[in-house]
Amino acid sequence: MNKSRIYPFLLTVFFASFLTSCDYLKDLLNGNGDPNDPIICTDEFRTIGLEIEGGELDEFYTIRKSTNDTIQVDFPVFETLYPVLDDSYQEELEGQVDEFEFVGFRESEELVRELFVIKADECHIEKVSGPDVITIQ
């Protein structure tokens, strides 16, 4: 093969292998990969939070609507950001999507009741829907 033909050939092989590997990665991310391939999770620990403006809460918890389980997230409140659910619940939710209700109180009065839809894959939880910020009186 002469040099004028080898470069286009090499470029074609490179781009074909690149596109094939991109499709493979896309399939893995969409859950269509080989089930025998190991899942590689990041080391991050995810927490879904709700920012509450207008005052602090004395008590809060999350209810899983399908089971009525009450979940006390053991994660510190950071200024006005309250934890709704974190990765410590990932194993119980893995492969599912469910509704969770965050409930918050001040001086025994319920001030917050917000609905979230949360899912989990093999590694982490993820918010599907729900507010980021609310304001209370």
Side-chain angles (χ1 to χ4, degrees):
M1 207 179 256
N2 75 32
K3 287 185 179 182
S4 64
R5 291 184 177 217
I6 192 119
Y7 292 121
F9 173 74
L10 289 175
L11 280 173
T12 303
V13 170
F14 171 76
F15 283 116
S17 64
F18 177 75
L19 293 174
T20 301
S21 66
C22 287
D23 286 343
Y24 178 72
L25 287 173
K26 182 179 168 186
D27 285 344
L28 283 178
L29 292 172
N30 289 327
N32 301 325
D34 183 349
N36 296 321
D37 286 345
I39 301 297
I40 299 172
C41 297
T42 62
D43 288 336
E44 69 183 310
F45 187 79
R46 294 186 184 171
T47 301
I48 296 169
L50 174 63
E51 185 175 350
I52 299 178
E53 297 175 344
E56 295 180 8
L57 300 177
D58 300 325
E59 180 186 356
F60 59 92
Y61 53 83
T62 301
I63 300 170
R64 184 174 184 178
K65 299 290 281 180
S66 66
T67 62
N68 284 326
D69 288 343
T70 299
I71 304 158
Q72 297 278 352
V73 179
D74 189 23
F75 195 85
V77 174
F78 181 72
E79 295 180 9
T80 60
L81 189 63
Y82 291 82
V84 175
L85 198 66
D86 65 25
D87 268 345
S88 65
Y89 203 79
Q90 176 275 330
E91 285 184 11
E92 293 196 42
L93 189 59
E94 183 177 335
Q96 302 173 53
V97 178
D98 210 342
E99 293 183 331
F100 292 83
E101 196 165 48
F102 179 85
V103 184
F105 301 86
R106 184 186 315 140
E107 297 176 6
S108 300
E109 179 185 355
E110 183 181 307
L111 297 178
V112 178
R113 185 171 289 267
E114 293 293 332
L115 189 64
F116 291 81
V117 176
I118 300 172
K119 67 180 182 177
D121 60 17
E122 298 88 355
C123 301
H124 300 288
I125 62 167
E126 182 181 334
K127 181 173 82 169
V128 175
S129 66
D132 293 324
V133 180
I134 63 164
T135 302
I136 59 175
Q137 301 297 338

